Amino acid sequence: MVIGVTDLIPGVSGGTIALLLGIYQSLVASINGLLTKDWKKSILFLLPIGLGIGIALITVSRLIEWLLVEHPQPTFFFFLGLIIGIIPTLLKDINYKQSFRSSHYVLLALAAVLVAVTVFVKDNELAAVMSELTLGDYTLLFFAGWLASSAMILPGVSGSFMLLLLGMYPTVINALSTFNIPVIITVGLGVAIGLILTSKLISFLLTTYKTSTYAVMIGFVIGSMVVIYPGIASNGLLLFVSILTFLVGIVVATLLSRVEKGKTSAKLIA
C-alpha cells in the first residue's frame, strides 16, 4: 500500500520505497519470473503486493489529491526525509567503500544529474482531464502507462512524474478517484507490460553489473531529492510542520532499514 501511495505522487518513486522495504530485488525477480516455469511462486509473492498497491491507488487517490493541493510542502518534506534516510542503507548494501571505483562515482553523478534536471520541466499548470476519449486517446493512455511503469520500477524515477510530463497525470488520477474502469484497464495493461519488460532488463543488470547498477540507482535516488524539494515555507508554522514531517520521514526510513537488517540477520543465523 505504501508503494501504491508513493506511485500517486509526482517525483516520488515506488521503486525507492521497495528498496527501503528490502523487497526490491525480490520484486524485480518475481515480475521477471511471471513468464517462467516458476510463475506460481512469482504470483504468490506479487499477489499481496499488487492487492496493496491496487487498494491504495483506489482508496487513497482522493487523499493524495487533497494533500498535494492543501498541504504540499509537509507532504513532500516527509518523502524527502524518507529518501535521505534510505541512502546510507543503499551504500551499505553495496559496501561502496570497497566496491566503488572511480567509474562508479561517475555513473552515480551522471544518474543524479539526469533525474535532477527534470526539475526544470514546467509542471505548474496541469493538463486538463481528458473527456470523451477516442481510440487514439486510449492508445496514448496505454503507452503512457507503459512508459510510466518502466520509470516506476526504477528507484528515484517517478512513474507519476512521467505521466505528468506526458500530460496524462490529471486524467489518470481522475480515473482512479472516480473509478473510470475503461481508463484504469487501459493504463493498467500498459503498466503490466512495461513492468515485465523493464524487470527483465533490471534483473540482467543486477546479475551482470551489480555495482554499476547500484551506483546508477543511488544516483537516481539522490537526483530525485532535487525534483521533489518544495522550497522553504515563509510561514513559520508551515516551516515547523514541514521540518517535523521531514524528521518523521528520516526516522521511518531508519526504522524500516533496521527491521529489514534484523530480518536478514535472522535468516543468516537460521
Side-chain angles (χ1 to χ4, degrees), residues 201-220:
L201 174 61
I202 294 175
S203 181
F204 168 76
L205 292 174
L206 284 172
T207 302
T208 312
Y209 307 103
K210 183 176 181 179
T211 304
S212 297
T213 304
Y214 255 82
V216 171
M217 291 195 300
I218 294 170
F220 282 163

Side-chain angles (χ1 to χ4, degrees), residues 9-13 109-124 151 155-166 219-229:
I9 302 176
V12 184
S13 168
L110 289 175
V113 170
L114 181 64
V115 173
V117 294
T118 61
V119 75
F120 296 109
V121 178
K122 301 297 181 183
D123 58 359
N124 295 326
V157 184
S158 167
S160 293
F161 190 70
M162 184 65 68
L163 289 175
L164 199 64
L165 297 182
L166 297 170
F220 282 163
V221 171
I222 292 173
S224 70
M225 292 192 299
V226 178
V227 177
I228 70 170
Y229 175 65

Side-chain angles (χ1 to χ4, degrees), residues 110-254:
L110 289 175
V113 170
L114 181 64
V115 173
V117 294
T118 61
V119 75
F120 296 109
V121 178
K122 301 297 181 183
D123 58 359
N124 295 326
E125 295 184 6
L126 293 177
V129 175
M130 298 166 66
S131 58
E132 299 181 1
L133 297 172
T134 64
L135 178 60
D137 294 329
Y138 280 109
T139 302
L140 287 174
L141 285 167
F142 172 80
F143 283 105
W146 185 324
L147 291 173
S149 68
S150 298
M152 195 183 301
I153 201 170
L154 293 171
V157 184
S158 167
S160 293
F161 190 70
M162 184 65 68
L163 289 175
L164 199 64
L165 297 182
L166 297 170
M168 301 293 178
Y169 182 75
T171 299
V172 174
I173 288 296
N174 178 262
L176 290 170
S177 61
T178 60
F179 214 61
N180 187 328
I181 299 298
V183 172
I184 292 174
I185 291 176
T186 302
V187 176
L189 287 173
V191 167
I193 293 175
L195 284 175
I196 291 172
L197 293 180
T198 307
S199 68
K200 288 185 177 296
L201 174 61
I202 294 175
S203 181
F204 168 76
L205 292 174
L206 284 172
T207 302
T208 312
Y209 307 103
K210 183 176 181 179
T211 304
S212 297
T213 304
Y214 255 82
V216 171
M217 291 195 300
I218 294 170
F220 282 163
V221 171
I222 292 173
S224 70
M225 292 192 299
V226 178
V227 177
I228 70 170
Y229 175 65
I232 299 296
S234 56
N235 182 296
L237 178 60
L238 182 58
L239 177 60
F240 172 77
V241 174
S242 297
I243 293 174
L244 185 62
T245 57
F246 173 74
L247 294 175
V248 170
I250 292 178
V251 170
V252 169
T254 303

